Amino acid sequence: MNLTSLLDTTILITAILSVLLILLQQRGASLGAGFGASGELYTERRGLEKSLFITTVVVVMLFVLSILGILLIPS
């Protein structure tokens, strides 16, 4: 297995994981909050929500680095 195929597999897996992780995150505010229906727009992430957020950031960073690796490796 060469480096290009490894990076291709990494891109595919991280793309699917990032979509799933983004969809699993809770919505911070509903549509009514934009019109003043909710007084609180920012809440602190705690527990599972914080872990999910950090995992999402790491997976997306791996996705971006894999794409940059594919672009920088001569074919």
Side-chain angles (χ1 to χ4, degrees):
M1 184 176 233
N2 59 7
L3 187 59
T4 306
S5 64
L6 180 68
L7 286 174
D8 284 338
T9 306
T10 305
I11 289 171
L12 180 65
I13 292 170
T14 55
I16 293 169
L17 277 177
S18 62
V19 168
L20 291 175
L21 288 170
I22 289 170
L23 289 175
L24 282 175
Q25 293 185 17
Q26 290 183 347
R27 306 280 188 247
S30 63
L31 183 60
F35 299 109
S38 174
E40 188 175 332
L41 292 177
Y42 177 76
T43 58
E44 186 175 341
R45 291 180 173 95
R46 293 183 179 150
L48 182 63
E49 184 181 0
K50 185 175 183 178
S51 299
L52 190 64
F53 176 74
I54 292 172
T55 305
T56 305
V57 170
V58 170
V59 169
V60 170
M61 287 175 56
L62 285 172
F63 177 70
V64 170
L65 290 174
S66 299
I67 291 175
L68 288 175
I70 279 286
L71 290 175
L72 295 177
I73 293 176
S75 52

